[in-house]
Amino acid sequence: QVNLVESGGGSVEAGGSLRLSCAASGGTYPEYCMAWFRQVAGKEREGVVWIDSYGGIRYADSVKGRFTISKDNAEPTVYLQMNSLEPEDTAMYYCAADFFPRSSRKGCRWENRDYYWGQGTQVTVSS
């Protein structure tokens, strides 16, 4: 059973920065995809960024140039540095992770019913 522990949410003014982290444990395969999603109440969840175990990354267009994801393979743990935050970034941010065998060639993608999910951390950006 994969367990995800998120931290780092909070409230900032527009233009400010926050750093989220997500530590994964319990993964049994060496390859993984870890991602951040966000959701505003009443709206669909949207993908923010994903990173795979090889360091491949994909950002949503809305955060390119402002958000940066990095990882530490030790646990693994991913970090999301969010700069130049805008009120439109206000949402509950969720970490997701999937672990799979190398032979599966599964890779990262936004839609993945095998994702494990964290409990979420709130990010609020005021104007």
Side-chain angles (χ1 to χ4, degrees):
Q1 180 71 22
V2 174
N3 185 47
L4 302 176
V5 178
E6 302 147 327
S7 62
S11 298
V12 294
E13 293 186 349
S17 298
L18 285 172
R19 188 182 191 228
L20 307 182
S21 66
C22 174
S25 60
T28 56
Y29 294 110
E31 294 201 358
Y32 60 84
C33 178
M34 293 187 72
W36 287 98
F37 291 78
R38 64 187 182 187
Q39 188 169 23
V40 177
K43 294 187 177 181
E44 289 190 0
R45 183 176 59 208
E46 65 169 336
V48 177
V49 60
W50 56 248
I51 185 167
D52 66 29
S53 48
Y54 295 102
I57 295 171
R58 181 173 181 178
Y59 293 98
D61 289 343
S62 59
V63 305
K64 282 181 181 177
R66 300 188 299 120
F67 291 11
T68 302
I69 192 169
S70 59
K71 67 181 179 70
D72 178 348
N73 280 335
E75 194 157 4
T77 301
V78 294
Y79 307 94
L80 183 62
Q81 179 67 41
M82 304 185 295
N83 298 329
S84 302
L85 282 161
E86 303 168 351
E88 292 73 23
D89 296 315
T90 295
M92 184 71 79
Y93 283 69
Y94 295 93
C95 178
D98 183 21
F99 292 80
F100 41 87
R102 187 170 288 113
S103 59
S104 74
R105 298 187 178 183
K106 196 171 183 179
C108 271
R109 55 187 182 274
W110 297 123
E111 295 294 329
N112 181 0
R113 61 182 60 187
D114 295 325
Y115 274 137
Y116 291 88
W117 294 91
Q119 292 187 325
T121 184
Q122 178 68 36
V123 171
T124 302
V125 185
S126 58
S127 57

